[in-house]
Tab-separated table of all heavy atoms in Angstrom:
chain	number	residue	atom	x	y	z
A	365	ALA	N	-4.404	-8.721	10.988
A	365	ALA	CA	-4.913	-9.276	12.256
A	365	ALA	C	-4.250	-8.626	13.452
A	365	ALA	O	-4.947	-8.303	14.451
A	365	ALA	CB	-4.640	-10.814	12.298
A	366	PHE	N	-2.970	-8.302	13.362
A	366	PHE	CA	-2.306	-7.633	14.483
A	366	PHE	C	-2.892	-6.245	14.703
A	366	PHE	O	-3.197	-5.878	15.842
A	366	PHE	CB	-0.817	-7.488	14.149
A	366	PHE	CG	-0.067	-6.587	15.083
A	366	PHE	CD1	0.160	-6.963	16.406
A	366	PHE	CD2	0.401	-5.381	14.632
A	366	PHE	CE1	0.827	-6.070	17.260
A	366	PHE	CE2	1.057	-4.489	15.474
A	366	PHE	CZ	1.239	-4.872	16.832
A	367	VAL	N	-3.088	-5.512	13.656
A	367	VAL	CA	-3.628	-4.151	13.751
A	367	VAL	C	-5.007	-4.153	14.378
A	367	VAL	O	-5.350	-3.253	15.205
A	367	VAL	CB	-3.690	-3.497	12.336
A	367	VAL	CG1	-4.556	-2.249	12.346
A	367	VAL	CG2	-2.275	-3.087	11.897
A	368	MET	N	-5.818	-5.169	14.055
A	368	MET	CA	-7.204	-5.242	14.553
A	368	MET	C	-7.335	-5.891	15.921
A	368	MET	O	-8.426	-5.877	16.493
A	368	MET	CB	-8.077	-5.961	13.509
A	368	MET	CG	-8.101	-5.280	12.145
A	368	MET	SD	-9.285	-6.018	10.962
A	368	MET	CE	-10.817	-5.495	11.681
A	369	SER	N	-6.228	-6.401	16.425
A	369	SER	CA	-6.297	-7.059	17.729
A	369	SER	C	-6.308	-5.955	18.821
A	369	SER	O	-5.991	-4.800	18.589
A	369	SER	CB	-5.043	-7.954	17.961
A	369	SER	OG	-3.846	-7.175	17.931
A	370	ASP	N	-6.771	-6.360	19.999
A	370	ASP	CA	-7.044	-5.415	21.102
A	370	ASP	C	-5.734	-5.063	21.844
A	370	ASP	O	-5.122	-5.912	22.506
A	370	ASP	CB	-8.036	-5.990	22.086
A	370	ASP	CG	-8.527	-5.039	23.119
A	370	ASP	OD1	-8.005	-3.880	23.181
A	370	ASP	OD2	-9.516	-5.325	23.820
A	371	PRO	N	-5.291	-3.786	21.775
A	371	PRO	CA	-4.063	-3.403	22.482
A	371	PRO	C	-4.184	-3.416	23.963
A	371	PRO	O	-3.202	-3.500	24.714
A	371	PRO	CB	-3.805	-1.969	21.963
A	371	PRO	CG	-5.130	-1.429	21.564
A	371	PRO	CD	-5.855	-2.653	21.017
A	372	HIS	N	-5.451	-3.322	24.513
A	372	HIS	CA	-5.640	-3.267	25.930
A	372	HIS	C	-5.304	-4.619	26.623
A	372	HIS	O	-5.179	-4.659	27.809
A	372	HIS	CB	-7.110	-2.909	26.215
A	372	HIS	CG	-7.481	-1.552	25.733
A	372	HIS	ND1	-8.046	-1.351	24.546
A	372	HIS	CD2	-7.298	-0.322	26.345
A	372	HIS	CE1	-8.265	-0.030	24.369
A	372	HIS	NE2	-7.810	0.585	25.418
A	373	LEU	N	-5.212	-5.690	25.821
A	373	LEU	CA	-4.915	-6.971	26.415
A	373	LEU	C	-3.406	-7.255	26.579
A	373	LEU	O	-3.009	-8.286	27.069
A	373	LEU	CB	-5.512	-8.102	25.524
A	373	LEU	CG	-7.050	-8.017	25.309
A	373	LEU	CD1	-7.505	-9.105	24.399
A	373	LEU	CD2	-7.777	-8.066	26.639
A	374	GLU	N	-2.603	-6.307	26.093
A	374	GLU	CA	-1.128	-6.494	26.181
A	374	GLU	C	-0.568	-6.082	27.555
A	374	GLU	O	-1.154	-5.161	28.236
A	374	GLU	CB	-0.495	-5.649	25.060
A	374	GLU	CG	-0.866	-6.183	23.685
A	374	GLU	CD	0.358	-6.528	22.867
A	374	GLU	OE1	1.353	-7.008	23.446
A	374	GLU	OE2	0.325	-6.338	21.590
A	375	PRO	N	0.591	-6.591	27.936
A	375	PRO	CA	1.207	-6.282	29.211
A	375	PRO	C	1.527	-4.841	29.418
A	375	PRO	O	1.451	-4.328	30.548
A	375	PRO	CB	2.484	-7.157	29.216
A	375	PRO	CG	2.185	-8.241	28.235
A	375	PRO	CD	1.313	-7.701	27.207
A	376	GLN	N	1.869	-4.106	28.351
A	376	GLN	CA	2.273	-2.701	28.467
A	376	GLN	C	1.187	-1.710	28.168
A	376	GLN	O	1.421	-0.573	27.849
A	376	GLN	CB	3.509	-2.416	27.552
A	376	GLN	CG	4.718	-3.295	27.795
A	376	GLN	CD	5.830	-3.007	26.861
A	376	GLN	OE1	6.631	-2.092	27.105
A	376	GLN	NE2	5.940	-3.739	25.799
A	377	ALA	N	-0.045	-2.195	28.246
A	377	ALA	CA	-1.211	-1.357	27.858
A	377	ALA	C	-1.390	-0.128	28.767
A	377	ALA	O	-2.053	0.846	28.425
A	377	ALA	CB	-2.482	-2.197	27.892
A	378	ASP	N	-0.782	-0.148	29.966
A	378	ASP	CA	-0.956	0.989	30.902
A	378	ASP	C	0.235	1.920	30.814
A	378	ASP	O	0.340	2.847	31.669
A	378	ASP	CB	-1.091	0.426	32.338
A	378	ASP	CG	0.110	-0.421	32.754
A	378	ASP	OD1	0.870	-0.874	31.890
A	378	ASP	OD2	0.292	-0.577	33.972
Side-chain angles (χ1 to χ4, degrees):
F366 168 70
V367 165
M368 299 186 73
S369 62
D370 190 350
H372 297 95
L373 301 179
E374 294 236 34
Q376 302 181 83
D378 59 341

